[in-house]
Amino acid sequence: MDASSDTGCDAVGHDLLAWYDAHARVLPWRSPPHTPAPEPYRVWLSEVMLQQTTVAAVKDYFAKFIARWPTVDALAAAADEEVMAAWAGLGYYARARNLLACARAVAARGGRFPDTEEELRALPGLGAYTAAAVAAIAFGRRAVVVDANVERVVARLFAIEEALPGARGTIREKADGITPEARSGDFAQAMMDLGATVCTSRAPRCLLCPLSAHCAARAMGAPERFPVKAPKKAKPARKGQAFWIERGDAVWLVRRPGKGMLGGMRALPDDGWSARADGSGEGPLAGPWESAGKVTHTFTHFGLDLHLSVYLGADWTRLPPGGGEWWPLDRLDEAGLPTLFAKAASLALAGTGD
DNA sequence: CATACGTGGCC
DNA sequence: TGGCCAAGTAT
C-alpha cells in the first residue's frame, strides 16, 4: 500500500469524525454532533452569509436576521429595502438579492426547502458548495462539500501539485473519495473546522491534526506549500467623487441600480467611478461644493480613492435629477449604507461638526 | 474558463 | 502597510 491508499478513505473519515465529536466548534447555526439537525432555514441562511465571509463577521448578522425574520416565510414577506439595509456592511450584496428571491421561491412552495442537492442547486444564490452543504447538514444527504477549507485540507492530504483554480476538479474527486456515506454533514463541518482551526493557511498546527498520519504534505515536511495557487492579477487604482448634499436636517441619498457594484444599496450620489474607469468629476448639481477630504477603500478587484465634496444648506427646489430621498441625519445608521459610503458619511459629519 | 463582486482581520 | 485570505455564485 502506498501513502495515499493507506489513508483508505474510511480511515480519514473515521479519524476526522472522532476529532469532530470532541472538538466541534459551537456556533449559533449549528447543532452539536449526534443531535438533531438545525432547521433548514437556519442552515441555509448561515451558509449564504458565510460565503467568502468569516464566522466572526457573520455572527451578529445571523442573530439580527433570525430575530427579525424567524422563518423563511417571514423573510419572504419582508420589503426589499429592509433586507438590503439589514445586509449592509456584510458585502457581496448580490447575496442579499438572491436571499430574498430564494426565500420567496421557498415560500411559494409552502415554506419547505427541497431536500435534495439537485433541487437546492436550482434555487437563487445556491451554487455547488451551498447546495451540497445544505443537503448534507440540514437533510443528512451524502454530498461532496468543497469550500476553501476543504480545498486546502485535501490539497495537503494528497499533496496536489496542480495549481488552483485549475485543480478544482482533482480536489473534488479526492474529496468525494474520502466523504463517508453516513454523517456526511458532520464530515463536511469537521473538514471546515479543521481547516479553520488546525489546517490553517499559515502556520498549520500539524501536531494537533487528527489526519497528520494520512497527510502527504506533512510527510513531505511542506504543508504550507499547498494548495498551490495561480498568481493574482494586480488591482487597478481608481479615483472618484461622492457628493454630500445636506439640507440642514437631512442628506440626499440615492439607490444604486439593481445589478453591479453595490447593486440595490442606498448610496451617496457619485460621479460614475467604477472598476473600469475613474469618475467624471462631475457632481449632480452646480454646487457650491467644498472639499471634505478623501476616503480610501479596497474592493475585491480595484482600489478606490473617493474624494468627498460637500454642499451644505442645499436648496430643495433644486433636487438632483434621477431620484433619491432626503434622509434624516439622526437616522443615518438605519439607511443601510455600504461601508464605502458609511466611511464617507462619517467624514462629512466630522467635517460639518454634526 | 475568466471575471465581477465587499469587507475586515491578520502579519 | 499592502497583500493575502475567508463556509462562493452568476455570467
Side-chain angles (χ1 to χ4, degrees):
Chain A
M1 283 217 183
D2 63 23
S4 56
S5 62
D6 94 307
T7 59
C9 312
D10 293 347
V12 170
H14 177 272
D15 291 353
L16 186 65
L17 287 167
W19 175 82
Y20 187 68
D21 286 342
H23 299 288
R25 285 182 293 175
V26 175
L27 299 171
W29 45 83
R30 177 184 280 184
S31 296
H34 305 293
T35 65
E39 294 170 21
Y41 174 60
R42 297 171 69 90
V43 176
W44 163 73
L45 179 62
S46 64
E47 289 300 340
V48 173
M49 288 184 165
L50 286 160
Q51 290 167 5
Q52 294 287 286
T53 308
T54 58
V55 165
V58 164
K59 280 183 176 169
D60 289 349
Y61 284 87
F62 180 80
K64 176 168 67 173
F65 270 67
I66 289 293
R68 191 157 173 187
W69 300 295
T71 66
V72 68
D73 291 310
L75 181 59
D80 291 35
E81 66 173 60
E82 297 290 316
V83 175
M84 298 309 289
W87 196 275
L90 197 54
Y92 283 143
Y93 298 100
R95 291 186 295 173
R97 303 193 297 269
N98 287 327
L99 189 81
L100 255 178
C102 181
R104 288 168 182 165
V106 170
R109 59 194 300 291
R112 296 276 181 175
F113 281 85
D115 65 357
T116 67
E117 186 176 356
E118 181 183 357
E119 291 174 288
L120 287 161
R121 178 69 181 80
L123 291 170
L126 280 83
Y129 162 76
T130 306
V134 174
I137 297 168
F139 297 111
R141 302 274 189 181
R142 184 189 183 277
V144 182
V145 180
V146 183
D147 74 330
N149 288 300
V150 176
E151 283 181 353
R152 185 170 56 256
V153 172
V154 169
R156 288 174 178 169
L157 270 179
F158 297 93
I160 293 171
E161 298 283 357
E162 186 183 1
L164 285 170
R168 292 252 156 83
T170 304
I171 288 175
R172 207 202 122 79
E173 285 174 26
K174 295 295 189 186
D176 195 349
I178 60 174
T179 301
E181 285 293 335
R183 298 188 69 190
S184 92
D186 281 353
F187 179 82
Q189 293 176 95
M191 289 286 275
M192 294 189 277
D193 278 17
L194 189 72
T197 64
V198 174
C199 193
T200 46
S201 182
R202 280 176 304 215
R205 300 167 175 83
C206 298
L207 294 177
L208 299 178
C209 182
L211 304 184
S212 61
H214 307 295
C215 183
R218 166 77 168 152
M220 295 167 61
E224 289 188 83
R225 193 158 72 72
F226 302 94
V228 180
K229 295 194 175 181
K232 310 228 165 176
K233 276 181 50 179
K235 296 182 181 186
R238 300 295 181 209
K239 282 186 264 191
Q241 293 213 37
F243 301 94
W244 179 268
I245 306 169
E246 191 175 310
R247 194 193 66 185
D249 60 348
V251 61
W252 185 252
L253 298 184
V254 300
R255 186 171 299 280
R256 296 176 62 86
K259 297 188 174 185
M261 285 280 305
L262 311 175
M265 302 299 289
R266 285 202 184 91
L268 296 178
D270 64 53
D271 66 346
W273 55 266
S274 74
R276 299 174 51 94
D278 293 342
S280 66
E282 296 297 313
L285 289 174
W289 299 108
E290 189 167 335
S291 176
K294 180 184 77 168
V295 165
T296 62
H297 194 75
T298 305
F299 293 97
T300 308
H301 50 304
F302 69 104
L304 179 67
D305 275 357
L306 184 72
H307 293 262
L308 182 65
S309 293
V310 171
Y311 174 12
L312 302 180
D315 173 1
W316 0 4
T317 64
R318 289 174 58 232
L319 291 184
E325 57 191 326
W326 290 111
W327 192 269
L329 290 178
D330 59 2
R331 295 200 298 119
L332 196 57
D333 55 341
E334 300 166 34
L337 293 176
T339 298
L340 168 68
F341 294 111
K343 285 183 188 173
S346 294
L347 185 62
L349 292 172
T352 58
D354 282 327

